[in-house]
Amino acid sequence: MEGKKGYLYDLEKLITVRLMQEDTETVYSLLKTERDPIFAMGILPYYAMFVQSCQEYMGEIFLEEVYAKKIKNTRNFLKAYGDGFGKSKKRVESIDENQNEQYRERLNFDFMKNWNIHMNLGTYWTEDKHIIGNTQMIADFLEVRDVFNTENKEIYRKLGEQIGSLVVSLKEGFSQSICLPEINRPNTGKEIKYFYDLNTNNVDKLFRNNSQKSLNLFFLNITCNLNFIKYVLRPLLDVDNKWLFRVEYIVTYYAYRSIQRLKITVRITQIYVLV
């Protein structure tokens, strides 16, 4: 019996290591070919998920402390809206308020600051009109509190450098003991070239007129997450890619969970009103 347990443990470990190697090759392939800046920002939570999973499995932190913490927080963004809707509502309201004040303050004259003529939300689109990202959501998961801070560029350049170095180290380590898996890439070099800016304080065709602003932003972020995977990441990888499958599963699961939590909140509110 002990021998059987040991065999199963070794088999499980071998399968885990092989999956980690395949994920490494997938992420390495994307890092080599995908240089679009919008793609780079949108993909970061999934790179962070990979890096954090590897560190947790190996029981060791390989990144500098400040970047290790940032990676963990970025990975956790993937389940940010899976909490109760009240918490999600506060989150989107907080980032919207922060962005609104920053862009309002950029106006040259004080008397213009209450005109709501500034743009505080930028959106990114595919050529066939699918929204795949927005600036408030990206600022949220990258923990950017001041979008005009000139140090942001260097911080995230260094973060990308640390991720890339770890991926290369893993790739080289695996190649010395296990044959390399083949990663099929039907497409490379994705570019995101379509943008639309708006002011969330005003009525906009992107949102429902009869919904709260926080609810519109909540659904916007969920839609961006789902669409980024479906219309940007999925076309770059083979349909059988296991890393892509796990990414799709996690994003879909937390999108579903967040909507279920919203439905529960709505029901409780309706009951309260009736009582």
Side-chain angles (χ1 to χ4, degrees), residues 115-227:
W115 290 4
N116 277 329
I117 59 174
H118 58 288
M119 303 299 181
N120 61 9
L121 176 67
T123 58
Y124 308 117
W125 301 73
T126 62
E127 187 175 1
D128 47 352
K129 298 181 180 179
H130 296 291
I131 188 169
I132 51 82
N134 72 79
T135 54
Q136 290 192 9
M137 183 181 73
I138 290 173
D140 186 11
F141 69 69
L142 291 182
E143 298 181 300
V144 175
R145 296 296 170 252
D146 180 1
V147 295
F148 300 105
N149 186 347
T150 56
E151 295 179 3
N152 288 334
K153 182 178 180 180
E154 180 60 21
I155 291 170
Y156 290 99
R157 185 199 67 79
K158 185 68 180 295
L159 180 62
E161 185 180 275
Q162 295 239 327
I163 292 173
S165 296
L166 179 56
V167 172
V168 170
S169 296
L170 289 170
K171 176 181 171 62
E172 292 175 349
F174 283 131
S175 67
Q176 296 175 16
S177 56
I178 310 175
C179 61
L180 293 176
E182 182 179 351
I183 303 299
N184 296 317
R185 293 289 308 281
N187 297 290
T188 59
K190 182 69 177 180
E191 289 185 284
I192 300 166
K193 301 180 290 185
Y194 299 91
F195 313 97
Y196 173 62
D197 296 332
L198 60 110
N199 183 316
T200 59
N201 303 307
N202 300 324
V203 176
D204 190 274
K205 58 186 176 183
L206 187 62
F207 296 139
R208 292 185 59 180
N209 294 340
N210 59 345
S211 289
Q212 297 178 20
K213 177 168 69 169
S214 57
L215 191 58
N216 277 325
L217 292 171
F218 171 76
F219 280 119
L220 174 69
N221 290 346
I222 292 174
T223 302
C224 287
N225 278 335
L226 292 168
N227 281 357

Side-chain angles (χ1 to χ4, degrees), residues 220-275:
L220 174 69
N221 290 346
I222 292 174
T223 302
C224 287
N225 278 335
L226 292 168
N227 281 357
F228 182 85
I229 302 305
K230 183 175 182 180
Y231 298 109
V232 178
L233 184 59
R234 182 188 286 176
L236 295 173
L237 297 169
D238 186 80
V239 67
D240 296 323
N241 187 281
K242 298 179 183 65
W243 183 74
L244 175 62
F245 172 77
R246 283 193 293 280
V247 167
E248 289 180 320
Y249 173 82
I250 289 169
V251 173
T252 304
Y253 170 77
Y254 281 109
Y256 173 77
R257 181 173 172 175
S258 63
I259 294 171
Q260 288 296 105
R261 293 293 182 92
L262 171 61
K263 288 171 66 178
I264 291 171
T265 302
V266 171
R267 287 182 190 138
I268 292 174
T269 303
Q270 289 173 338
I271 292 170
Y272 178 78
V273 170
L274 289 173
V275 172

Side-chain angles (χ1 to χ4, degrees), residues 25-35 39 47 167-168 171 185 188-189:
E25 291 297 322
T26 297
V27 173
Y28 177 76
S29 177
L30 290 170
L31 284 170
K32 277 204 315 180
T33 63
E34 305 311 309
R35 304 301 175 87
F39 177 88
Y47 287 164
V167 172
V168 170
K171 176 181 171 62
R185 293 289 308 281
T188 59

Side-chain angles (χ1 to χ4, degrees), residues 9-154:
Y9 173 78
D10 290 341
L11 180 61
E12 179 183 325
K13 186 175 180 181
L14 179 62
I15 292 172
T16 301
V17 170
R18 183 59 178 182
L19 286 172
M20 192 184 300
Q21 185 193 25
E22 291 183 10
D23 290 355
T24 299
E25 291 297 322
T26 297
V27 173
Y28 177 76
S29 177
L30 290 170
L31 284 170
K32 277 204 315 180
T33 63
E34 305 311 309
R35 304 301 175 87
D36 181 85
I38 308 305
F39 177 88
M41 290 189 291
I43 196 70
L44 191 56
Y46 312 106
Y47 287 164
M49 178 185 73
F50 165 73
V51 169
Q52 186 63 21
S53 296
C54 289
Q55 292 186 137
E56 288 174 356
Y57 178 75
M58 291 183 279
E60 187 174 351
I61 303 300
F62 298 98
L63 308 182
E64 294 177 21
E65 183 177 355
V66 62
Y67 296 105
K69 182 179 179 181
K70 193 169 283 291
I71 282 289
K72 188 173 183 179
N73 291 344
T74 301
R75 186 278 303 269
N76 289 341
F77 171 81
L78 295 174
K79 52 186 179 183
Y81 300 113
D83 296 319
F85 178 67
K87 202 169 182 179
S88 300
K89 182 174 181 287
K90 288 180 182 178
R91 184 167 188 145
V92 297
E93 286 176 342
S94 175
I95 191 67
D96 177 65
E97 181 180 347
N98 180 268
Q99 297 278 292
N100 187 55
E101 288 306 311
Q102 288 185 47
Y103 283 100
R104 189 200 305 271
E105 288 302 315
R106 301 293 287 186
L107 294 172
N108 291 328
F109 303 103
D110 287 342
F111 68 86
M112 299 172 64
K113 292 179 180 180
N114 291 324
W115 290 4
N116 277 329
I117 59 174
H118 58 288
M119 303 299 181
N120 61 9
L121 176 67
T123 58
Y124 308 117
W125 301 73
T126 62
E127 187 175 1
D128 47 352
K129 298 181 180 179
H130 296 291
I131 188 169
I132 51 82
N134 72 79
T135 54
Q136 290 192 9
M137 183 181 73
I138 290 173
D140 186 11
F141 69 69
L142 291 182
E143 298 181 300
V144 175
R145 296 296 170 252
D146 180 1
V147 295
F148 300 105
N149 186 347
T150 56
E151 295 179 3
N152 288 334
K153 182 178 180 180
E154 180 60 21

